[in-house]
Amino acid sequence: MISSEAPSLDLIARFEEAAEAAHRAEHAYRQKAAERIEELTRERANAFRRLNLVRSAAKAITEAEEPEQAGLRARAVVADALGWEEIGPRQELVLDRLMPVFAAMQAEMGENEGAPGMASQEALRAFEDWYRAETGTEFYALFERYIPETPRVDF
């Protein structure tokens, strides 16, 4: 039988410290994982918004009756997708900066039978970089729209 309580208190204290260290390590890992998941979620959402933008613009370009109108048609489709019914100076600037993207897409689609290529990707990336530098936010955040939940009423 052990007669002294001091060694057992020291022993318990060491296990308590180890348990707390494990708890801190787990918490730090979970926080880091949550941040990474949030980052990946944002990247995925932006990738699909980018895809939808390019898909809509490509469709508008191919449906244009006159090649000269293709970029303007794509511009109108993007403005509509953003919900921009009235175009102010800020929206005008953004849409103007997208025109090189549409021009590159149109050129590549003509050359590659409908498949946008590297020049349009580079033009889009340059636009995205410009928008981020100009506003401090991602362009694709403009596509996020809060839709309030409406109560369902049964009569």
Side-chain angles (χ1 to χ4, degrees), residues 74-105:
R75 176 186 162 115
V77 165
V78 170
D80 186 54
L82 290 168
W84 292 350
E85 295 173 12
E86 293 183 26
I87 307 296
R90 190 75 190 144
Q91 291 86 3
E92 189 77 33
L93 176 62
V94 171
L95 294 170
D96 285 348
R97 297 287 276 204
L98 276 169
M99 291 302 285
V101 176
F102 304 145
M105 287 176 65

Side-chain angles (χ1 to χ4, degrees), residues 46-96:
N46 285 344
F48 276 98
R49 289 177 179 138
R50 184 179 296 114
L51 169 63
N52 290 335
L53 172 80
V54 169
R55 187 178 282 153
S56 297
K59 184 174 188 265
I61 289 168
T62 58
E63 291 176 352
E65 293 179 17
E66 298 294 326
E68 302 80 33
Q69 298 299 314
L72 294 174
R73 185 170 167 84
R75 176 186 162 115
V77 165
V78 170
D80 186 54
L82 290 168
W84 292 350
E85 295 173 12
E86 293 183 26
I87 307 296
R90 190 75 190 144
Q91 291 86 3
E92 189 77 33
L93 176 62
V94 171
L95 294 170
D96 285 348

Side-chain angles (χ1 to χ4, degrees), residues 33-46:
E35 290 168 1
R36 181 65 177 138
I37 288 169
E38 186 176 317
E39 181 183 328
L40 291 170
T41 299
R42 203 171 33 255
E43 288 175 12
R44 175 195 41 80
N46 285 344

